[in-house]
Amino acid sequence: MASTFHGFAILLTTFRLWYRWHTSRMWWEDGWAVVALLGDITCLVCVWLEQPTPNCKVY
């Protein structure tokens, strides 16, 4: 489930940045979008690398 939402957010943000670059309308908020994109990619990688704790019972 997390991969779906993160993937969708990454796809939309990448498209937005490409479109703004293509139309030569990059601005400071696009810089923040890049920072958020990098954070989201990092979060997605951490979700993929997460391992369950051994001998941990889930109720």
Side-chain angles (χ1 to χ4, degrees):
M1 186 64 127
S3 294
T4 302
F5 288 118
H6 282 286
F8 193 61
I10 291 168
L11 182 69
L12 287 178
T13 306
T14 303
F15 175 74
R16 173 224 164 110
L17 291 171
W18 171 84
Y19 181 76
R20 300 280 288 190
W21 182 269
H22 183 70
T23 59
S24 300
R25 294 180 182 249
M26 294 290 279
W27 199 241
W28 63 269
E29 71 267 10
D30 297 312
W32 286 113
V34 169
V35 171
L37 178 64
L38 293 175
D40 195 21
I41 291 170
T42 303
C43 187
L44 179 61
V45 169
C46 290
V47 166
W48 286 343
L49 295 177
E50 184 179 13
Q51 297 292 323
T53 307
N55 299 324
C56 180
K57 295 181 181 179
V58 177
Y59 297 101

